Amino acid sequence: PIYLRNNQPNKYQRFTMGLTAMLVGGISGTGMHMMNNALQKVPLSRKPWLHVGYFFLGSYIGQKWVELERDLVIDINEIRADKGLPPLVGTKGWIKYEKPESPRI
């Protein structure tokens, strides 16, 4: 795509990816708490401090999910490199992949 230079995302894209993951995670956490209140048939605004707490918890989990996914793709690509296979298609489009350095003897 046009927005990639040297097949790498720029700083703005990395920032928005992390910000998007945090917002989706935060909204999911708050929604989870509100759904729990709805299922219990109590007012949705009961214990409003938990709305904020679950928002931050969901944001943290969303951010860690991006890191976990990146680490898994790097591990998969290392395994594929050991087997003589190319990296996953489109890997360099969304994470920076560096081949592991071979030990010098």
Side-chain angles (χ1 to χ4, degrees):
I2 297 171
Y3 59 84
L4 294 177
R5 291 186 184 162
N6 300 326
N7 210 14
Q8 297 294 325
N10 59 28
K11 290 180 183 180
Y12 175 75
Q13 291 162 330
R14 289 185 190 155
F15 174 74
T16 55
M17 186 169 104
L19 182 64
T20 303
M22 288 177 65
L23 285 175
V24 168
I27 291 169
S28 297
T30 301
M32 179 180 60
H33 182 249
M34 292 178 74
M35 182 61 75
N36 187 20
N37 284 351
L39 290 173
Q40 294 177 12
K41 296 188 179 182
V42 296
L44 294 179
S45 60
R46 185 177 180 200
K47 297 182 181 178
W49 59 89
L50 287 179
H51 289 22
V52 176
Y54 282 122
F55 182 86
F56 286 120
L57 180 66
S59 299
Y60 177 76
I61 291 171
Q63 190 63 27
K64 288 297 175 185
W65 182 267
V66 173
E67 292 175 15
L68 175 69
E69 190 173 6
R70 179 184 174 276
D71 292 341
L72 286 174
V73 169
I74 289 173
D75 290 343
I76 289 169
N77 284 339
E78 287 177 3
I79 291 169
R80 290 176 62 91
D82 289 343
K83 293 182 178 182
L85 299 171
L88 291 174
V89 176
T91 299
K92 292 184 180 180
W94 56 281
I95 65 166
K96 183 179 179 184
Y97 175 72
E98 296 176 3
K99 291 185 178 181
E101 294 181 17
S102 58
R104 298 183 183 204
I105 297 176

